[in-house]
Amino acid sequence: MKDEIVKIEKLEDIIDREMERHPHSQPLLQAFRHVILARNRILEGLQLAESEPLVLDDIRFQGGVPVIAQYPLIREDDPWKDIVQAMIPAVQEGFPDLREDLDRLGNALQADDFDLYDYFRRNSEEQQDLLSIWAGTISIAAERIGFILNQASRIVLEKRAGDIAEQIEALHWEKGYCPICGSFPSLAVIGEKIGERRLHCSRCGHNWRFSRVICPYCEREAQQEMNFFYIEDKPQESAFTCEECQRYLITLNRVSDLNDRDLDVSALGLTHLDIILQEKHFVPMTVTDWNVF
Ligand SMILES: [Zn+2]
Ligand SMILES: [Zn+2]
């Protein structure tokens, strides 16, 4: 219990520091503060039913087939309804405009009107279809329902990713998408000492090592056409851009200690870069709750 409190307090400090560092992002960080803290609190207390041990086909994995394609990371017996219900007050706190909508969603879940697992087990295109149906049923914009459901899947995926991370640590992974859930990264971090690049997945929270000279999205090797975009006076904050696939990846440079950071919080502090890059017609490698304008 004590560890949990310390962890949440540390996260609060991290959010405060990010707000000082990036005053323009304060409203966004303030809104997400409630969501991120609630997500972490739920994660700390989350107990998932015992599942069969992960047996990976190492050859397939090292060939680029992520864990999620070999092992169920999303399960029917996961406490979907409890998690979404627990997230609703935090999202309402951070995003007051959603208050009434989420009351209606909470009531519909209470009445078992929706089978949440039916949503989580689908691929993203099929998820959109189902969201449109639900949106019509309870008169809430589909994106708003999707927003809160993403928070729930992050909690379950992060829990399982944490259990699996050690098991895959020694295996080779040379892909720009997440070895656990298969999503493209939302942020990259380049360490201060050895200068290795780590990619961060916002769908499951996992971080993994990746070459600095290859585009994570299209795997093209660095040549002249690969660039880093900087804003004057802030050499630590940049975006990797690829002319080949026209994607970008927000990148923190020379980070000395990852433990002093929460990479989702860092990404929220850097959305001014997302705006600039998208004005230059680059596309993010992955869509997050905060990088589409
Ligand atoms: Zn992931
Ligand atoms: Zn590329």
Side-chain angles (χ1 to χ4, degrees):
M1 191 66 196
K2 185 136 189 304
D3 285 355
E4 290 166 26
I5 296 169
V6 171
K7 202 179 159 196
I8 297 295
E9 280 174 358
K10 190 175 161 194
L11 194 49
E12 296 233 43
D13 289 344
I14 287 173
I15 298 170
D16 288 341
R17 272 207 305 279
E18 193 66 36
M19 287 173 78
E20 282 163 28
R21 215 181 269 141
H22 296 111
H24 58 268
S25 289
Q26 278 179 7
L28 190 67
L29 282 157
Q30 191 54 41
F32 272 95
R33 169 192 295 269
H34 302 280
V35 176
I36 291 172
L37 292 176
R39 207 174 65 203
N40 279 276
R41 275 196 203 100
I42 295 168
L43 180 63
E44 288 292 311
L46 184 65
Q47 304 272 359
L48 297 176
E50 192 83 24
S51 47
E52 70 273 18
L54 165 65
V55 181
L56 266 192
D57 179 334
D58 292 1
I59 306 286
R60 285 181 74 213
F61 179 81
Q62 295 182 127
V65 180
V67 175
I68 199 165
Q70 302 192 40
Y71 178 80
L73 295 178
I74 295 277
R75 310 177 78 102
E76 190 165 10
D77 61 0
D78 291 332
W80 298 113
K81 186 169 140 183
D82 291 349
I83 295 175
V84 175
Q85 293 283 32
M87 280 305 299
I88 285 178
V91 176
Q92 287 176 319
E93 191 80 32
F95 299 85
D97 287 356
L98 304 191
R99 197 167 281 278
E100 287 173 19
D101 282 359
L102 293 184
D103 280 341
R104 285 206 297 289
L105 177 64
N107 292 338
L109 293 179
Q110 203 55 42
D112 285 323
D113 289 349
F114 304 143
D115 173 10
L116 287 173
Y117 175 66
D118 188 26
Y119 172 83
F120 292 112
R121 67 181 178 82
R122 294 172 180 230
N123 68 33
S124 64
E125 204 174 304
E126 295 167 343
Q127 284 183 337
Q128 293 314 313
D129 296 341
L130 187 61
L131 277 189
S132 304
I133 296 169
W134 289 357
T137 314
I138 51 173
S139 314
I140 303 177
E143 307 78 61
R144 293 182 166 197
I145 307 176
F147 175 58
I148 193 156
L149 298 188
N150 284 346
Q151 307 303 323
S153 70
R154 164 71 185 260
I155 292 168
V156 170
L157 287 173
E158 185 167 350
K159 175 81 177 172
R160 294 217 163 89
D163 296 341
I164 289 167
E166 208 176 308
Q167 213 177 322
I168 61 169
E169 185 65 33
L171 300 175
H172 286 287
W173 182 259
E174 293 178 346
K175 292 292 171 186
Y177 49 83
C178 176
I180 292 184
C181 78
S183 296
F184 279 101
S186 56
L187 190 81
V189 178
I190 295 176
E192 187 170 41
K193 291 208 181 81
I194 38 178
E196 69 173 17
R197 176 162 73 169
R198 293 187 80 87
L199 306 182
H200 172 68
C201 173
S202 283
R203 185 173 171 223
C204 76
H206 186 65
N207 300 325
W208 70 103
R209 247 176 270 117
F210 189 72
S211 160
R212 277 176 71 173
V213 294
I214 296 174
C215 169
Y217 198 85
C218 71
E219 299 185 356
R220 189 180 169 98
E221 258 193 67
Q223 285 163 3
Q224 293 294 33
E225 57 268 27
M226 262 185 210
N227 297 302
F228 274 91
F229 173 86
Y230 294 90
I231 292 187
E232 237 176 298
D233 301 337
K234 297 245 182 183
Q236 216 193 5
E237 300 168 2
S238 67
F240 166 90
T241 58
C242 175
E243 294 291 342
E244 179 72 19
C245 66
Q246 292 291 308
R247 303 275 166 167
Y248 73 89
L249 182 60
I250 303 295
T251 300
L252 279 172
N253 293 302
R254 289 185 261 135
V255 171
S256 53
D257 189 357
L258 267 187
N259 288 323
D260 292 337
R261 294 247 177 201
D262 174 280
L263 296 182
D264 296 295
V265 173
S266 297
L268 284 164
L270 296 173
T271 49
H272 53 290
L273 289 175
D274 287 284
I275 294 171
I276 295 170
L277 270 296
Q278 290 179 34
E279 278 170 4
K280 292 176 182 291
H281 305 295
F282 286 99
V283 179
M285 292 194 181
T286 188
V287 170
T288 62
D289 291 322
W290 57 81
N291 71 6
V292 179
F293 307 101

